[in-house]
Amino acid sequence: ILNVEQSPQSLHVQEGDSTNFTCSFPSSNFYALHWYRWETAKSPEALFVMTLNGDEKKKGRISATLNTKEGYSYLYIKGSQPEDSATYLCAAGSGSARQLTFGSGTQLTVLP
Amino acid sequence: DTGVSQDPRHKITKRGQNVTFRCDPISEHNRLYWYRQTLGQGPEFLTYFQNEAQLEKSRLLSDRFSAERPKGSFSTLEIQRTEQGDSAMYLCASSLAGSHEQYFGPGTRLTVT
C-alpha cells in the first residue's frame, strides 16, 4: 500500500503569482503518477500522467515533473488566474489493477 | 456528454436504510473503479471491475457494501444498513485496460443522518 503525501494542504496566492505544490510517494513499487484538478461540483479532471523518471509534462501554464528515484513530483502553475482555484490531487498508481492511491490534495485559492 | 456519469449526485438517507448508486462509464472502457472520499482526505480505492468481473476489493469495503457490473457496462454500488460513517463522496472512474489514465465522474455525495 502506497502512502502519498501532498504539501502544502492549502495555499492562497494573488492573481499573476506563480506557485508550486509537492507530491511525495514511496519510490518502490511505483507504476505511474497522476495529477488531477478538482473543482467543486465537477468531476476530477486529469492533468498529467507520468511514468518515467525525469518526465516533464506541460499543459498551458501548468507543468509537472517526476523523480521516481527519490519519490516526488512537482506541479507548477505560472501566472495563476482565479479560474485555477481548485483542489489539486496527486495519485500514485500501483498493483495489478492500477488502482490509485491519492494524497489529501492541495487546495489552491487565487485571489483577484 | 460522453464522460463518466453518476446518479444520483446527492443522497440523504437515514441511518439503517439501504442506498444504491449507479455509475455509467465511458462506453468503450472495460475497467471501472469505485473510490470514496471523506472530508479532508483524498479519494480511497474501494473496488475494481474488468468487464463484469470484480477483481479486487479494498479492506475498506465492509460486508455492508456490494458492487456489481452485470453486463460489463454500468455498475451499481449498494450500501446496506447505512451508518453515519458512510457519509462521503463516492466516485466512479473508468479506463481502458492497458491505459494509465482514469476518467472520473462527478461523484455521489451521501449524507447519512
mmCIF file of all heavy atoms in Angstrom, chain B residues 38-82:
data_model
loop_
_atom_site.group_PDB
_atom_site.id
_atom_site.type_symbol
_atom_site.label_atom_id
_atom_site.label_comp_id
_atom_site.label_asym_id
_atom_site.label_seq_id
_atom_site.Cartn_x
_atom_site.Cartn_y
_atom_site.Cartn_z
ATOM 1 N N THR B 38 -13.653 11.064 1.974
ATOM 2 C CA THR B 38 -14.213 11.702 3.162
ATOM 3 C C THR B 38 -13.532 13.041 3.359
ATOM 4 O O THR B 38 -12.475 13.310 2.787
ATOM 5 C CB THR B 38 -14.036 10.813 4.399
ATOM 6 O OG1 THR B 38 -12.649 10.449 4.505
ATOM 7 C CG2 THR B 38 -14.879 9.549 4.292
ATOM 8 N N LEU B 39 -14.158 13.865 4.180
ATOM 9 C CA LEU B 39 -13.729 15.254 4.338
ATOM 10 C C LEU B 39 -12.250 15.349 4.720
ATOM 11 O O LEU B 39 -11.798 14.678 5.643
ATOM 12 C CB LEU B 39 -14.591 15.907 5.420
ATOM 13 C CG LEU B 39 -14.618 17.437 5.421
ATOM 14 C CD1 LEU B 39 -15.179 17.949 4.099
ATOM 15 C CD2 LEU B 39 -15.453 17.941 6.589
ATOM 16 N N GLY B 40 -11.511 16.152 3.971
ATOM 17 C CA GLY B 40 -10.108 16.388 4.298
ATOM 18 C C GLY B 40 -9.148 15.327 3.798
ATOM 19 O O GLY B 40 -7.941 15.416 4.025
ATOM 20 N N GLN B 41 -9.685 14.312 3.156
ATOM 21 C CA GLN B 41 -8.851 13.220 2.655
ATOM 22 C C GLN B 41 -8.936 13.144 1.134
ATOM 23 O O GLN B 41 -9.858 13.670 0.527
ATOM 24 C CB GLN B 41 -9.327 11.875 3.229
ATOM 25 C CG GLN B 41 -9.334 11.812 4.737
ATOM 26 C CD GLN B 41 -7.953 11.956 5.320
ATOM 27 O OE1 GLN B 41 -6.991 11.359 4.829
ATOM 28 N NE2 GLN B 41 -7.820 12.736 6.368
ATOM 29 N N GLY B 42 -7.955 12.467 0.535
ATOM 30 C CA GLY B 42 -8.077 12.167 -0.878
ATOM 31 C C GLY B 42 -8.967 10.964 -1.086
ATOM 32 O O GLY B 42 -9.271 10.220 -0.140
ATOM 33 N N PRO B 43 -9.405 10.725 -2.318
ATOM 34 C CA PRO B 43 -10.211 9.533 -2.599
ATOM 35 C C PRO B 43 -9.449 8.256 -2.233
ATOM 36 O O PRO B 43 -8.233 8.182 -2.406
ATOM 37 C CB PRO B 43 -10.440 9.617 -4.111
ATOM 38 C CG PRO B 43 -10.296 11.077 -4.440
ATOM 39 C CD PRO B 43 -9.243 11.582 -3.502
ATOM 40 N N GLU B 44 -10.194 7.255 -1.716
ATOM 41 C CA GLU B 44 -9.605 5.965 -1.359
ATOM 42 C C GLU B 44 -10.229 4.877 -2.217
ATOM 43 O O GLU B 44 -11.459 4.836 -2.383
ATOM 44 C CB GLU B 44 -9.873 5.645 0.111
ATOM 45 C CG GLU B 44 -9.206 6.617 1.083
ATOM 46 C CD GLU B 44 -9.668 6.370 2.499
ATOM 47 O OE1 GLU B 44 -10.865 6.601 2.779
ATOM 48 O OE2 GLU B 44 -8.848 5.928 3.329
ATOM 49 N N PHE B 45 -9.419 3.980 -2.707
ATOM 50 C CA PHE B 45 -9.866 2.897 -3.572
ATOM 51 C C PHE B 45 -10.790 1.951 -2.812
ATOM 52 O O PHE B 45 -10.508 1.548 -1.683
ATOM 53 C CB PHE B 45 -8.646 2.127 -4.083
ATOM 54 C CG PHE B 45 -8.961 0.838 -4.790
ATOM 55 C CD1 PHE B 45 -9.462 0.847 -6.077
ATOM 56 C CD2 PHE B 45 -8.746 -0.381 -4.159
ATOM 57 C CE1 PHE B 45 -9.745 -0.340 -6.734
ATOM 58 C CE2 PHE B 45 -9.031 -1.571 -4.806
ATOM 59 C CZ PHE B 45 -9.527 -1.553 -6.099
ATOM 60 N N LEU B 46 -11.916 1.587 -3.448
ATOM 61 C CA LEU B 46 -12.842 0.616 -2.870
ATOM 62 C C LEU B 46 -12.812 -0.713 -3.619
ATOM 63 O O LEU B 46 -12.619 -1.773 -3.029
ATOM 64 C CB LEU B 46 -14.278 1.156 -2.876
ATOM 65 C CG LEU B 46 -14.576 2.344 -1.965
ATOM 66 C CD1 LEU B 46 -16.026 2.777 -2.130
ATOM 67 C CD2 LEU B 46 -14.277 2.000 -0.514
ATOM 68 N N THR B 47 -13.040 -0.654 -4.940
ATOM 69 C CA THR B 47 -13.122 -1.883 -5.702
ATOM 70 C C THR B 47 -12.923 -1.586 -7.181
ATOM 71 O O THR B 47 -12.966 -0.433 -7.618
ATOM 72 C CB THR B 47 -14.466 -2.589 -5.460
ATOM 73 O OG1 THR B 47 -14.428 -3.901 -6.040
ATOM 74 C CG2 THR B 47 -15.637 -1.811 -6.066
ATOM 75 N N TYR B 48 -12.735 -2.660 -7.956
ATOM 76 C CA TYR B 48 -12.377 -2.525 -9.360
ATOM 77 C C TYR B 48 -12.963 -3.686 -10.153
ATOM 78 O O TYR B 48 -12.988 -4.834 -9.687
ATOM 79 C CB TYR B 48 -10.850 -2.480 -9.435
ATOM 80 C CG TYR B 48 -10.199 -3.164 -10.603
ATOM 81 C CD1 TYR B 48 -10.262 -2.614 -11.878
ATOM 82 C CD2 TYR B 48 -9.478 -4.339 -10.424
ATOM 83 C CE1 TYR B 48 -9.639 -3.219 -12.948
ATOM 84 C CE2 TYR B 48 -8.854 -4.955 -11.490
ATOM 85 C CZ TYR B 48 -8.934 -4.393 -12.753
ATOM 86 O OH TYR B 48 -8.312 -4.996 -13.796
ATOM 87 N N PHE B 49 -13.479 -3.375 -11.339
ATOM 88 C CA PHE B 49 -14.014 -4.370 -12.261
ATOM 89 C C PHE B 49 -13.228 -4.330 -13.563
ATOM 90 O O PHE B 49 -12.874 -3.250 -14.053
ATOM 91 C CB PHE B 49 -15.485 -4.058 -12.603
ATOM 92 C CG PHE B 49 -16.433 -4.259 -11.470
ATOM 93 C CD1 PHE B 49 -16.632 -3.255 -10.527
ATOM 94 C CD2 PHE B 49 -17.142 -5.442 -11.338
ATOM 95 C CE1 PHE B 49 -17.518 -3.433 -9.478
ATOM 96 C CE2 PHE B 49 -18.029 -5.627 -10.294
ATOM 97 C CZ PHE B 49 -18.219 -4.624 -9.363
ATOM 98 N N GLN B 50 -13.019 -5.499 -14.123
ATOM 99 C CA GLN B 50 -12.605 -5.572 -15.510
ATOM 100 C C GLN B 50 -13.729 -6.309 -16.232
ATOM 101 O O GLN B 50 -14.008 -7.479 -15.933
ATOM 102 C CB GLN B 50 -11.279 -6.303 -15.698
ATOM 103 C CG GLN B 50 -10.895 -6.386 -17.166
ATOM 104 C CD GLN B 50 -9.407 -6.334 -17.415
ATOM 105 O OE1 GLN B 50 -8.676 -5.552 -16.807
ATOM 106 N NE2 GLN B 50 -8.941 -7.187 -18.311
ATOM 107 N N ASN B 51 -14.373 -5.625 -17.140
ATOM 108 C CA ASN B 51 -15.632 -6.106 -17.726
ATOM 109 C C ASN B 51 -16.612 -6.379 -16.581
ATOM 110 O O ASN B 51 -16.800 -5.522 -15.742
ATOM 111 C CB ASN B 51 -15.363 -7.298 -18.625
ATOM 112 C CG ASN B 51 -14.403 -6.933 -19.745
ATOM 113 O OD1 ASN B 51 -14.575 -5.901 -20.407
ATOM 114 N ND2 ASN B 51 -13.374 -7.739 -19.955
ATOM 115 N N GLU B 52 -17.192 -7.584 -16.520
ATOM 116 C CA GLU B 52 -18.169 -7.817 -15.456
ATOM 117 C C GLU B 52 -17.549 -8.428 -14.205
ATOM 118 O O GLU B 52 -18.215 -8.595 -13.186
ATOM 119 C CB GLU B 52 -19.306 -8.718 -15.970
ATOM 120 C CG GLU B 52 -18.885 -10.123 -16.341
ATOM 121 C CD GLU B 52 -18.320 -10.217 -17.758
ATOM 122 O OE1 GLU B 52 -18.137 -9.165 -18.401
ATOM 123 O OE2 GLU B 52 -18.057 -11.342 -18.200
ATOM 124 N N ALA B 53 -16.273 -8.747 -14.249
ATOM 125 C CA ALA B 53 -15.623 -9.424 -13.130
ATOM 126 C C ALA B 53 -15.079 -8.423 -12.111
ATOM 127 O O ALA B 53 -14.316 -7.519 -12.457
ATOM 128 C CB ALA B 53 -14.491 -10.302 -13.656
ATOM 129 N N GLN B 54 -15.459 -8.635 -10.858
ATOM 130 C CA GLN B 54 -14.919 -7.819 -9.768
ATOM 131 C C GLN B 54 -13.604 -8.456 -9.335
ATOM 132 O O GLN B 54 -13.599 -9.524 -8.711
ATOM 133 C CB GLN B 54 -15.897 -7.759 -8.599
ATOM 134 C CG GLN B 54 -15.487 -6.783 -7.508
ATOM 135 C CD GLN B 54 -16.547 -6.649 -6.424
ATOM 136 O OE1 GLN B 54 -17.440 -7.499 -6.297
ATOM 137 N NE2 GLN B 54 -16.489 -5.589 -5.646
ATOM 138 N N LEU B 55 -12.483 -7.805 -9.645
ATOM 139 C CA LEU B 55 -11.185 -8.438 -9.482
ATOM 140 C C LEU B 55 -10.457 -8.041 -8.204
ATOM 141 O O LEU B 55 -9.552 -8.749 -7.778
ATOM 142 C CB LEU B 55 -10.297 -8.139 -10.691
ATOM 143 C CG LEU B 55 -10.794 -8.687 -12.027
ATOM 144 C CD1 LEU B 55 -9.788 -8.421 -13.132
ATOM 145 C CD2 LEU B 55 -11.089 -10.189 -11.920
ATOM 146 N N GLU B 56 -10.833 -6.936 -7.622
ATOM 147 C CA GLU B 56 -10.122 -6.503 -6.420
ATOM 148 C C GLU B 56 -11.059 -5.698 -5.531
ATOM 149 O O GLU B 56 -11.875 -4.925 -6.018
ATOM 150 C CB GLU B 56 -8.909 -5.654 -6.811
ATOM 151 C CG GLU B 56 -7.854 -5.569 -5.744
ATOM 152 C CD GLU B 56 -6.462 -5.329 -6.318
ATOM 153 O OE1 GLU B 56 -6.224 -5.671 -7.495
ATOM 154 O OE2 GLU B 56 -5.638 -4.799 -5.574
ATOM 155 N N LYS B 57 -10.937 -5.935 -4.218
ATOM 156 C CA LYS B 57 -11.733 -5.196 -3.243
ATOM 157 C C LYS B 57 -10.823 -4.725 -2.125
ATOM 158 O O LYS B 57 -10.002 -5.490 -1.615
ATOM 159 C CB LYS B 57 -12.828 -6.082 -2.646
ATOM 160 C CG LYS B 57 -13.940 -6.431 -3.600
ATOM 161 C CD LYS B 57 -15.184 -6.923 -2.889
ATOM 162 C CE LYS B 57 -15.004 -8.250 -2.226
ATOM 163 N NZ LYS B 57 -16.294 -8.764 -1.703
ATOM 164 N N SER B 58 -11.006 -3.489 -1.709
ATOM 165 C CA SER B 58 -10.241 -2.948 -0.597
ATOM 166 C C SER B 58 -10.801 -3.482 0.721
ATOM 167 O O SER B 58 -11.980 -3.840 0.815
ATOM 168 C CB SER B 58 -10.339 -1.429 -0.621
ATOM 169 O OG SER B 58 -10.011 -0.871 0.622
ATOM 170 N N ARG B 59 -9.952 -3.475 1.739
ATOM 171 C CA ARG B 59 -10.444 -3.835 3.085
ATOM 172 C C ARG B 59 -11.434 -2.804 3.601
ATOM 173 O O ARG B 59 -12.171 -3.057 4.553
ATOM 174 C CB ARG B 59 -9.262 -3.916 4.049
ATOM 175 C CG ARG B 59 -8.484 -5.197 3.930
ATOM 176 C CD ARG B 59 -7.287 -5.176 4.841
ATOM 177 N NE ARG B 59 -6.066 -5.307 4.083
ATOM 178 C CZ ARG B 59 -4.855 -5.192 4.612
ATOM 179 N NH1 ARG B 59 -4.680 -4.913 5.871
ATOM 180 N NH2 ARG B 59 -3.788 -5.339 3.849
ATOM 181 N N LEU B 60 -11.474 -1.623 2.952
ATOM 182 C CA LEU B 60 -12.457 -0.602 3.339
ATOM 183 C C LEU B 60 -13.870 -1.040 3.017
ATOM 184 O O LEU B 60 -14.841 -0.547 3.592
ATOM 185 C CB LEU B 60 -12.183 0.710 2.591
ATOM 186 C CG LEU B 60 -10.910 1.466 2.929
ATOM 187 C CD1 LEU B 60 -10.770 2.647 1.975
ATOM 188 C CD2 LEU B 60 -10.935 1.944 4.365
ATOM 189 N N LEU B 61 -13.998 -1.973 2.088
ATOM 190 C CA LEU B 61 -15.311 -2.406 1.628
ATOM 191 C C LEU B 61 -15.845 -3.467 2.589
ATOM 192 O O LEU B 61 -15.562 -4.654 2.435
ATOM 193 C CB LEU B 61 -15.177 -2.959 0.214
ATOM 194 C CG LEU B 61 -16.349 -2.730 -0.745
ATOM 195 C CD1 LEU B 61 -16.550 -1.259 -1.005
ATOM 196 C CD2 LEU B 61 -16.111 -3.471 -2.037
ATOM 197 N N SER B 62 -16.646 -3.005 3.561
ATOM 198 C CA SER B 62 -17.162 -3.951 4.556
ATOM 199 C C SER B 62 -18.254 -4.816 3.931
ATOM 200 O O SER B 62 -18.660 -4.611 2.782
ATOM 201 C CB SER B 62 -17.722 -3.174 5.753
ATOM 202 O OG SER B 62 -18.996 -2.642 5.435
ATOM 203 N N ASP B 63 -18.757 -5.761 4.726
ATOM 204 C CA ASP B 63 -19.795 -6.678 4.258
ATOM 205 C C ASP B 63 -21.079 -5.954 3.891
ATOM 206 O O ASP B 63 -21.931 -6.494 3.190
ATOM 207 C CB ASP B 63 -20.106 -7.724 5.343
ATOM 208 C CG ASP B 63 -18.945 -8.673 5.526
ATOM 209 O OD1 ASP B 63 -18.057 -8.700 4.649
ATOM 210 O OD2 ASP B 63 -18.916 -9.376 6.560
ATOM 211 N N ARG B 64 -21.237 -4.731 4.358
ATOM 212 C CA ARG B 64 -22.472 -3.996 4.054
ATOM 213 C C ARG B 64 -22.420 -3.379 2.644
ATOM 214 O O ARG B 64 -23.421 -2.887 2.154
ATOM 215 C CB ARG B 64 -22.680 -2.873 5.078
ATOM 216 C CG ARG B 64 -22.893 -3.361 6.509
ATOM 217 C CD ARG B 64 -23.167 -2.210 7.466
ATOM 218 N NE ARG B 64 -22.025 -1.295 7.555
ATOM 219 C CZ ARG B 64 -21.984 -0.100 6.970
ATOM 220 N NH1 ARG B 64 -23.011 0.355 6.253
ATOM 221 N NH2 ARG B 64 -20.912 0.669 7.106
ATOM 222 N N PHE B 65 -21.255 -3.416 2.043
ATOM 223 C CA PHE B 65 -21.084 -2.836 0.712
ATOM 224 C C PHE B 65 -21.059 -3.948 -0.325
ATOM 225 O O PHE B 65 -20.382 -4.969 -0.136
ATOM 226 C CB PHE B 65 -19.751 -2.079 0.626
ATOM 227 C CG PHE B 65 -19.709 -0.774 1.360
ATOM 228 C CD1 PHE B 65 -19.731 -0.741 2.748
ATOM 229 C CD2 PHE B 65 -19.632 0.425 0.674
ATOM 230 C CE1 PHE B 65 -19.694 0.459 3.431
ATOM 231 C CE2 PHE B 65 -19.592 1.635 1.352
ATOM 232 C CZ PHE B 65 -19.612 1.651 2.724
ATOM 233 N N SER B 66 -21.770 -3.728 -1.430
ATOM 234 C CA SER B 66 -21.658 -4.667 -2.542
ATOM 235 C C SER B 66 -21.701 -3.883 -3.842
ATOM 236 O O SER B 66 -22.431 -2.895 -3.969
ATOM 237 C CB SER B 66 -22.776 -5.714 -2.493
ATOM 238 O OG SER B 66 -24.035 -5.093 -2.613
ATOM 239 N N ALA B 67 -20.891 -4.314 -4.789
ATOM 240 C CA ALA B 67 -20.832 -3.657 -6.084
ATOM 241 C C ALA B 67 -21.024 -4.702 -7.158
ATOM 242 O O ALA B 67 -20.599 -5.855 -7.007
ATOM 243 C CB ALA B 67 -19.501 -2.939 -6.264
ATOM 244 N N GLU B 68 -21.683 -4.281 -8.230
ATOM 245 C CA GLU B 68 -21.920 -5.177 -9.353
ATOM 246 C C GLU B 68 -21.685 -4.432 -10.657
ATOM 247 O O GLU B 68 -21.840 -3.212 -10.737
ATOM 248 C CB GLU B 68 -23.376 -5.678 -9.341
ATOM 249 C CG GLU B 68 -23.734 -6.564 -8.189
ATOM 250 C CD GLU B 68 -25.171 -7.070 -8.300
ATOM 251 O OE1 GLU B 68 -25.960 -6.478 -9.068
ATOM 252 O OE2 GLU B 68 -25.473 -8.055 -7.610
ATOM 253 N N ARG B 69 -21.383 -5.226 -11.666
ATOM 254 C CA ARG B 69 -21.297 -4.677 -13.020
ATOM 255 C C ARG B 69 -21.799 -5.780 -13.947
ATOM 256 O O ARG B 69 -21.021 -6.436 -14.640
ATOM 257 C CB ARG B 69 -19.862 -4.278 -13.364
ATOM 258 C CG ARG B 69 -19.765 -3.411 -14.597
ATOM 259 C CD ARG B 69 -18.335 -3.054 -14.947
ATOM 260 N NE ARG B 69 -18.297 -2.176 -16.104
ATOM 261 C CZ ARG B 69 -17.209 -1.996 -16.850
ATOM 262 N NH1 ARG B 69 -16.081 -2.618 -16.553
ATOM 263 N NH2 ARG B 69 -17.246 -1.175 -17.870
ATOM 264 N N PRO B 70 -23.103 -6.001 -13.945
ATOM 265 C CA PRO B 70 -23.676 -7.228 -14.511
ATOM 266 C C PRO B 70 -23.387 -7.480 -15.989
ATOM 267 O O PRO B 70 -23.203 -8.613 -16.391
ATOM 268 C CB PRO B 70 -25.174 -7.073 -14.258
ATOM 269 C CG PRO B 70 -25.396 -5.624 -13.983
ATOM 270 C CD PRO B 70 -24.132 -5.111 -13.405
ATOM 271 N N LYS B 71 -23.349 -6.473 -16.803
ATOM 272 C CA LYS B 71 -23.140 -6.711 -18.235
ATOM 273 C C LYS B 71 -21.839 -6.068 -18.704
ATOM 274 O O LYS B 71 -21.626 -5.891 -19.895
ATOM 275 C CB LYS B 71 -24.323 -6.164 -19.040
ATOM 276 C CG LYS B 71 -25.624 -6.885 -18.741
ATOM 277 C CD LYS B 71 -26.772 -6.332 -19.564
ATOM 278 C CE LYS B 71 -28.059 -7.050 -19.208
ATOM 279 N NZ LYS B 71 -29.211 -6.509 -19.943
ATOM 280 N N GLY B 72 -21.002 -5.737 -17.767
ATOM 281 C CA GLY B 72 -19.733 -5.113 -18.139
ATOM 282 C C GLY B 72 -19.874 -3.693 -18.620
ATOM 283 O O GLY B 72 -18.936 -3.152 -19.216
ATOM 284 N N SER B 73 -21.048 -3.088 -18.359
ATOM 285 C CA SER B 73 -21.211 -1.683 -18.755
ATOM 286 C C SER B 73 -21.366 -0.833 -17.496
ATOM 287 O O SER B 73 -20.384 -0.537 -16.848
ATOM 288 C CB SER B 73 -22.392 -1.521 -19.709
ATOM 289 O OG SER B 73 -23.577 -2.022 -19.115
ATOM 290 N N PHE B 74 -22.610 -0.490 -17.094
ATOM 291 C CA PHE B 74 -22.795 0.321 -15.894
ATOM 292 C C PHE B 74 -22.520 -0.519 -14.652
ATOM 293 O O PHE B 74 -22.488 -1.764 -14.688
ATOM 294 C CB PHE B 74 -24.212 0.917 -15.854
ATOM 295 C CG PHE B 74 -25.289 -0.093 -15.549
ATOM 296 C CD1 PHE B 74 -25.684 -0.332 -14.237
ATOM 297 C CD2 PHE B 74 -25.894 -0.810 -16.564
ATOM 298 C CE1 PHE B 74 -26.660 -1.265 -13.947
ATOM 299 C CE2 PHE B 74 -26.872 -1.748 -16.290
ATOM 300 C CZ PHE B 74 -27.262 -1.978 -14.978
ATOM 301 N N SER B 75 -22.319 0.166 -13.549
ATOM 302 C CA SER B 75 -22.070 -0.508 -12.271
ATOM 303 C C SER B 75 -22.964 0.108 -11.208
ATOM 304 O O SER B 75 -23.360 1.278 -11.299
ATOM 305 C CB SER B 75 -20.607 -0.354 -11.866
ATOM 306 O OG SER B 75 -20.361 -0.897 -10.577
ATOM 307 N N THR B 76 -23.291 -0.694 -10.204
ATOM 308 C CA THR B 76 -24.018 -0.186 -9.032
ATOM 309 C C THR B 76 -23.212 -0.484 -7.777
ATOM 310 O O THR B 76 -22.512 -1.499 -7.693
ATOM 311 C CB THR B 76 -25.415 -0.815 -8.906
ATOM 312 O OG1 THR B 76 -25.274 -2.233 -8.835
ATOM 313 C CG2 THR B 76 -26.294 -0.430 -10.075
ATOM 314 N N LEU B 77 -23.317 0.422 -6.834
ATOM 315 C CA LEU B 77 -22.710 0.252 -5.513
ATOM 316 C C LEU B 77 -23.841 0.373 -4.494
ATOM 317 O O LEU B 77 -24.538 1.386 -4.460
ATOM 318 C CB LEU B 77 -21.654 1.330 -5.254
ATOM 319 C CG LEU B 77 -20.961 1.297 -3.888
ATOM 320 C CD1 LEU B 77 -20.075 0.064 -3.755
ATOM 321 C CD2 LEU B 77 -20.120 2.561 -3.669
ATOM 322 N N GLU B 78 -24.052 -0.681 -3.719
ATOM 323 C CA GLU B 78 -25.110 -0.679 -2.722
ATOM 324 C C GLU B 78 -24.499 -0.679 -1.330
ATOM 325 O O GLU B 78 -23.531 -1.407 -1.065
ATOM 326 C CB GLU B 78 -26.026 -1.901 -2.869
ATOM 327 C CG GLU B 78 -27.169 -1.909 -1.852
ATOM 328 C CD GLU B 78 -28.057 -3.141 -1.915
ATOM 329 O OE1 GLU B 78 -27.642 -4.154 -2.519
ATOM 330 O OE2 GLU B 78 -29.155 -3.090 -1.336
ATOM 331 N N ILE B 79 -25.060 0.127 -0.464
ATOM 332 C CA ILE B 79 -24.670 0.121 0.938
ATOM 333 C C ILE B 79 -25.903 -0.274 1.745
ATOM 334 O O ILE B 79 -26.944 0.385 1.662
ATOM 335 C CB ILE B 79 -24.164 1.486 1.428
ATOM 336 C CG1 ILE B 79 -23.083 2.032 0.497
ATOM 337 C CG2 ILE B 79 -23.622 1.371 2.853
ATOM 338 C CD1 ILE B 79 -22.635 3.451 0.825
ATOM 339 N N GLN B 80 -25.792 -1.339 2.509
ATOM 340 C CA GLN B 80 -26.912 -1.783 3.341
ATOM 341 C C GLN B 80 -26.720 -1.270 4.763
ATOM 342 O O GLN B 80 -25.590 -1.093 5.229
ATOM 343 C CB GLN B 80 -26.980 -3.312 3.345
ATOM 344 C CG GLN B 80 -27.263 -3.902 1.977
ATOM 345 C CD GLN B 80 -27.397 -5.416 2.017
ATOM 346 O OE1 GLN B 80 -26.716 -6.088 2.783
ATOM 347 N NE2 GLN B 80 -28.290 -5.945 1.205
ATOM 348 N N ARG B 81 -27.856 -1.016 5.409
ATOM 349 C CA ARG B 81 -27.836 -0.595 6.822
ATOM 350 C C ARG B 81 -26.836 0.532 7.032
ATOM 351 O O ARG B 81 -25.871 0.423 7.800
ATOM 352 C CB ARG B 81 -27.522 -1.779 7.731
ATOM 353 C CG ARG B 81 -28.449 -2.975 7.532
ATOM 354 C CD ARG B 81 -28.099 -4.125 8.475
ATOM 355 N NE ARG B 81 -26.720 -4.579 8.345
ATOM 356 C CZ ARG B 81 -26.256 -5.354 7.391
ATOM 357 N NH1 ARG B 81 -27.085 -5.781 6.430
ATOM 358 N NH2 ARG B 81 -24.989 -5.724 7.361
ATOM 359 N N THR B 82 -27.057 1.641 6.328
ATOM 360 C CA THR B 82 -26.098 2.740 6.342
ATOM 361 C C THR B 82 -25.823 3.238 7.755
ATOM 362 O O THR B 82 -26.694 3.222 8.639
ATOM 363 C CB THR B 82 -26.591 3.920 5.498
ATOM 364 O OG1 THR B 82 -27.926 4.274 5.886
ATOM 365 C CG2 THR B 82 -26.553 3.599 4.027
#
